[in-house]
Each structure stands twice: as C-alpha cells, then as structure tokens.
Amino acid sequence: MSGFLNERLQKTQQYVPGEQPGDGEYIKLNTNESPFPPAPGVCRLFNAGLAERLRLYPDPTARRLTDSLARECGVNAENVFICNGSDEALSFAFMALFEDGVAFPDVSYGFYEVYAELYGMPYVKVPLREDLSIDVGDYTDIDKNIVIANPNAPTGIELPLCDIERLLKEHEDRVVLIDEAYIDFGGSSCAELIKKYKNLLVVQTYSKSRCMAGARLGFAIADSALTDDLMRIKFSTNPYNINTVTLAAGEAALGDRAYFEKCVSSIKETRAYTAGELKKLGFVMTESKANFLFARHPDIGGETLYKELKKRRVLVRWLSGERTREYTRITIGTREQMDALINAVKDILKENANA
Ligand SMILES: *Cc1c(COP(=O)(O)O)cnc(C)c1O
C-alpha cells in the first residue's frame, strides 16, 4: 500500500479469483471454464487479417455485435449493453445504480460483496434456506436493490421465473439484477421480462457456455433507460472497453449456434454422469443447473478434498465460508477429465478409510 491510497479503499477486501496455473499442469476444474475451444469460426479469425485491425480503435458502440446479440435474445439493440466480461456490467451497476443499498444471498458470487464494499454502499446478505435454495419471501421487507445469480453460484440451484417476477413486482422502485452467467446450462432466462419490467437488469457472459473466458466479453439486457445508464458509466471510464479481437470473436461465436448447442449439451450430459458417479461414492450435492457441481462427502471435509485432489493434479474450488467449507465446487469438463477426477476421488476415499 502506497500511503497515497484513499483511506476508504485501504480496508476493502479484493476478490480472490480461482487459481490459474500454467497450461497442462492440472486437470483444471476450478473456475467453471469450458473444456472445449471456442467455435471453429472464432479460431479461424486468428489466421485472417485480424491483427492488422489492431491499428485502429475498436467501435466504441460495438454496433455490429450489439445488433447480433439483440437478434439472438429477441430484444432491440437499445436493450443490449456489451461489456468487458460480465464482471464489468456488475461493477457498473453497483457503481451507478445501488447507492441506497443492495441485498444479495449470503452464499453467492463473491464479487457482489467486493463491489458493495468498494463503492461503499450499505448491503445485506440474506441467508439461503437450510437446503441452500433462495426464498424470495425473505426479500419482501427489504427495501433495497437486489442482486441474484440464477442459477446461483456456487450452489447451481435455479430460481424459478415466477419467483423472479415476484421480486420484480415487490420491488418496483428498485433494480433487480439477475446474473445469468450459467443460464445456458439448463435454466430459463428471464430476459424476456425486460419488456414488462423497467427495473430488471439481466447480465450474461461468453465466459462459460460460449467457451471464451479469455476474451472478456459479457452483456446486459434491460429497458433502454437502464442500458443508457450503464453506457454513461462506460463513456465516463473507458469507451473502448471491448477490444477489436474480442468484438470479432463475439460475432463469430454467435454465428455458430450448432457448435454452442453441442458444447452445452455435452456439459449437461457429463454433469449428469459425474453427479451419478459421485453419488455412488457417497457424495451429497445440490441440484445443479450450472456447469459445475457443488458437492460434499460425509467423511471428508471440503478443504482436505481440495488439497488431496491438488496433489493428484486435479484442481477444484474450495470456498472457505462458514456455509460452504464442507463442499467443493467442481467444474464439469470433458468425460475424460471427469473420469480422472472420479478416480482421484476414489483413491482419496480409500486412503481416508485406511487412515
Ligand atoms: C463467472 C461469473 C461471472 C463473471 O463472468 P465474466 O463474464 O467472466 O466476468 C459473473 N457472475 C457469476 C455468478 C459467475 O460465476
């Protein structure tokens, strides 16, 4: 710390991203990336004249990609805001829209609390039910903006659309932000509801289901008054927030619906397979609609399992919070990767039983 850092920022906690070791060192099941490469059309771009286009600034309005995404989502271009990873849309929303306070579940994406602290607004963490699901009735008397990941992270549990609609109705004067980072793996998107509710802000990303975590591309869908607000922040901080390469890759990925569907259905199939195998080994888990499982074993704590797996070159995520520490979060990779995980787990359980 320099001694120049603003006093308010000296105490804030930073988000701790999952480990990103060098390529090939681990079977990497810790940060919910796709095990598959981006669509073939994206990969081809890098052999074409893309590098040459780096000479110029990118289009600050991201016009082409905005139009394509609007078509894809069945909304108008004015309802789409493109951002540098969905984290940026979250950051802008906290910065610009939530000054009177925000509520989110006690177990959810860690960044919500980091942003609330960074931008210095009051916030409440609303406890999940005992089974780790969200009871929207718990929000009825909270007069604050609301942020919910659907499916939630790290539980993977989906919140039904009727519950989201209830939140929107009961908090008409507040923003309800629904973070749909994992929606493509089996949930129902609420994006259509923006036509009915001016207080709904939906955030999605290319990082998970579109196999492009490294491109840093996300987008928000909302009533145009809300996307205008986000645009105002973008043009006041970094108008060229999406680089030329990422814009082109985003377009190319959208152009290949079949590849996207193939990747998503493979993840869903492998998720069911992995869940079944882990259950046979005695694991208990939530009903995940995301590209990860959130599982615990009665005989072995989350941290021990994480460390033992790491020794065996398999990386999963362990979250040290009081309500998450018994669990590990396991990204769904390829079938081969999951078999390697399952074999490592069997080995660990056997060793544990003999100890
Ligand atoms: C991964 C994730 C994000 C961030 O996605 P980026 O688009 O890569 O910034 C946002 N919300 C949740 C719940 C996530 O798990």
Side-chain angles (χ1 to χ4, degrees):
M1 210 175 284
S2 67
F4 301 112
L5 185 65
N6 296 346
E7 196 180 329
R8 192 176 63 75
L9 296 178
Q10 290 173 15
K11 296 180 289 283
T12 53
Q13 294 285 331
Q14 299 165 64
Y15 178 71
V16 182
E19 296 156 88
Q20 302 295 354
D23 236 9
E25 262 186 83
Y26 292 94
I27 293 179
K28 198 170 171 303
L29 306 175
N30 69 329
T31 49
N32 302 341
E33 292 134 327
S34 173
F36 307 118
V42 176
C43 301
R44 276 198 301 272
L45 279 177
F46 290 84
N47 300 322
L50 193 59
E52 233 166 85
R53 277 156 61 189
L54 290 174
R55 184 174 63 82
L56 302 174
Y57 279 110
D59 170 13
T61 65
R63 179 49 49 205
R64 282 174 52 132
L65 182 57
T66 305
D67 288 345
S68 304
L69 271 172
R71 232 174 294 125
E72 168 99 354
C73 301
V75 297
N76 296 322
E78 63 185 22
N79 302 119
V80 176
F81 173 77
I82 300 188
C83 46
N84 186 319
S86 56
D87 287 336
E88 189 177 56
L90 296 173
S91 168
F92 286 3
F94 274 77
M95 187 198 301
L97 305 170
F98 295 167
E99 90 185 336
D100 351 313
V102 59
F104 44 83
D106 64 338
V107 178
S108 196
Y109 186 38
F111 236 133
Y112 305 151
E113 188 165 5
V114 170
Y115 288 136
E117 289 279 344
L118 176 66
Y119 298 124
M121 69 213 32
Y123 63 96
V124 282
K125 296 199 272 182
V126 183
L128 297 178
R129 291 186 182 112
E130 197 53 39
D131 68 1
L132 301 180
S133 63
I134 292 169
D135 182 348
V136 289
D138 294 338
Y139 291 77
T140 303
D141 297 324
I142 298 176
D143 187 18
K144 289 193 178 345
N145 303 287
I146 294 170
V147 179
I148 298 227
N150 187 38
N152 196 14
T155 66
I157 298 173
E158 184 189 13
L159 190 65
L161 284 183
C162 57
D163 280 348
I164 292 173
E165 213 163 349
R166 178 169 162 198
L167 285 173
L168 289 162
K169 281 187 188 143
E170 288 184 353
H171 302 272
E172 268 186 325
D173 302 329
R174 301 292 182 188
V175 174
V176 175
L177 189 162
I178 305 295
D179 179 349
E180 295 190 335
Y182 300 104
I183 200 68
D184 297 322
F185 300 106
S188 302
S189 173
C190 66
E192 278 283 313
L193 293 178
I194 64 146
K195 293 169 187 166
K196 208 161 143 197
Y197 297 97
K198 295 197 178 313
N199 58 331
L200 173 60
L201 180 60
V202 183
V203 175
Q204 291 193 13
T205 179
Y206 274 62
S207 294
K208 281 70 187 232
S209 59
R210 296 195 185 268
C211 321
M212 284 173 48
R216 311 308 303 129
L217 185 59
F219 57 99
I221 303 169
D223 183 71
S224 62
L226 273 178
T227 54
D228 275 355
D229 293 344
L230 298 177
M231 210 61 98
R232 176 187 291 262
I233 305 302
K234 164 185 154 124
F235 278 95
S236 309
T237 51
N238 183 8
Y240 303 111
N241 59 338
I242 320 291
N243 71 71
T244 305
V245 176
T246 294
L247 282 176
E251 277 266 339
L254 269 193
D256 198 340
R257 180 92 212 163
Y259 182 79
F260 164 74
E261 280 166 7
K262 196 174 92 181
C263 291
V264 165
S265 68
S266 167
I267 297 290
K268 290 201 284 203
E269 209 178 291
T270 309
R271 178 178 68 200
Y273 165 74
T274 309
E277 293 300 306
L278 290 176
K279 279 177 193 165
K280 282 188 219 158
L281 297 175
F283 278 87
V284 180
M285 66 199 77
T286 51
E287 167 87 31
S288 174
K289 291 279 179 73
N291 67 339
F292 55 79
L293 294 172
F294 192 55
R296 69 182 166 83
H297 195 283
D299 300 338
I300 190 163
E303 186 175 21
T304 309
L305 183 60
Y306 156 74
K307 285 185 172 157
E308 289 298 317
L309 281 170
K310 189 168 178 181
K311 277 190 210 158
R312 291 164 178 80
R313 296 279 160 235
V314 179
L315 211 51
V316 298
R317 189 91 199 255
W318 174 66
L319 298 156
S320 63
E322 201 188 316
R323 296 188 77 182
T324 55
R325 52 186 310 118
E326 292 305 309
Y327 291 80
T328 48
R329 194 196 65 195
I330 304 165
T331 302
I332 303 300
T334 61
R335 171 75 180 244
E336 295 69 37
Q337 289 178 316
M338 301 328 278
D339 280 331
L341 164 91
I342 290 156
N343 285 333
V345 167
K346 282 180 182 161
D347 189 44
I348 293 163
L349 290 176
K350 197 154 55 170
E351 214 175 87
N352 193 55
N354 295 337

